[in-house]
Amino acid sequence: MGQIQAGIIPVTPFQQNCTILFDDETREGVIIDPGGDVDVILQVIAENALTLKAIWLTHGHLDHAGGAAELKEKTGLSIIGPHKDDLPLLQRIETQAATYGISGLRSVLPDQWLEDGDTVSFGDHVFEVYHCPGHAPGHVIYFNRGQKFAHLGDVLFNGSVGRTDLPGGDHQTLMNSIRDKVLPLGDDVGFICGHGPGSRIGEERRSNPFIQGL
């Protein structure tokens, strides 16, 4: 097996980082948070000769999960995650999309819920699953210990943290998740997040004003 590579496709008007993780030798991988623009996603997969094995979701907000049902329909891929506490969000995607004037996004029910302490994988690449509520009740993150790499969804950003003013959000719960689950992964861990550029955990511990004192 080769090394994990990552490609990012900004999708929906929210410019969410739909992420493809793949092995640079086998070209097999997974797609994380296909929030929409499914035809664009499929084009990128085809142009790069990738074979995807599953759809992983970090949480149930429309810009992260709104394209999952269509992508499953067109590829046959299973939808894995998030934690079951996000079921109400996943059931309301179409309603939420309508309030934003966005068409084509669909409510979805995963094939498999995830729990804190689970693992998911593609090929020989194993990712640990951590339940990190606060931005969304059922938010999970994915951590590959071998390559010191994580996908943090909307928990922690480069210079910021996930918003907590949406239904099911709670600021102190988010801070607890960052303190207890994210920061202990290690300062040398690089991460991709749900919006904007990624970073390293150590850099955020040092400079991110939202998590000082944790």
Side-chain angles (χ1 to χ4, degrees), residues 14-170:
F14 297 98
Q15 292 293 282
Q16 189 274 128
N17 289 336
C18 172
T19 303
I20 299 175
L21 303 182
F22 64 96
D23 184 285
D24 62 2
E25 291 183 2
T26 67
R27 312 298 287 177
E28 293 182 351
V30 295
I31 187 162
I32 300 180
D33 289 355
D37 301 325
V38 170
D39 288 341
V40 174
I41 294 170
L42 291 171
Q43 181 179 347
V44 171
I45 293 168
E47 288 175 349
N48 289 277
L50 301 175
T51 301
L52 297 191
K53 297 298 186 179
I55 299 164
W56 297 354
L57 298 180
T58 62
H59 64 292
H61 287 155
L62 77 167
D63 55 328
H64 292 256
E70 181 184 353
L71 187 61
K72 175 184 177 177
E73 210 169 68
K74 292 182 174 179
T75 63
L77 297 173
S78 295
I79 300 170
I80 299 174
H83 185 278
K84 60 182 178 295
D85 286 352
D86 264 9
L87 176 59
L89 293 177
L90 294 165
Q91 292 174 323
R92 291 201 305 264
I93 288 176
E94 291 169 22
T95 302
Q96 290 294 307
T99 66
Y100 287 104
I102 303 173
S103 61
L105 305 189
R106 289 163 53 184
S107 301
V108 64
L109 181 67
D111 297 287
Q112 177 187 340
W113 298 110
L114 292 173
E115 297 284 346
D116 192 77
D118 284 349
T119 60
V120 291
S121 62
F122 62 92
D124 290 337
H125 303 296
V126 178
F127 286 75
E128 301 166 19
V129 176
Y130 295 85
H131 180 209
C132 293
H135 173 69
H139 200 301
V140 298
I141 64 172
Y142 301 96
F143 174 52
N144 181 268
R145 195 170 293 274
Q147 287 193 211
K148 297 181 178 180
F149 165 77
H151 195 298
L152 301 183
D154 284 0
V155 174
L156 180 67
F157 295 121
N158 183 328
S160 187
V161 296
R163 60 188 294 183
T164 54
D165 59 337
L166 298 171
D170 181 81

Side-chain angles (χ1 to χ4, degrees), residues 144-213:
N144 181 268
R145 195 170 293 274
Q147 287 193 211
K148 297 181 178 180
F149 165 77
H151 195 298
L152 301 183
D154 284 0
V155 174
L156 180 67
F157 295 121
N158 183 328
S160 187
V161 296
R163 60 188 294 183
T164 54
D165 59 337
L166 298 171
D170 181 81
H171 179 75
Q172 189 56 54
T173 301
L174 178 66
M175 293 297 105
N176 293 346
S177 291
I178 294 171
R179 181 194 65 207
D180 299 337
K181 303 290 182 65
V182 176
L183 296 182
L185 298 180
D187 285 355
D188 54 351
V189 170
F191 66 83
I192 288 174
C193 43
H195 303 265
S199 183
R200 290 192 178 275
I201 289 176
E203 176 60 25
E204 297 312 301
R205 189 196 300 272
R206 183 188 67 81
S207 65
N208 189 323
F210 294 91
I211 62 170
Q212 297 307 301

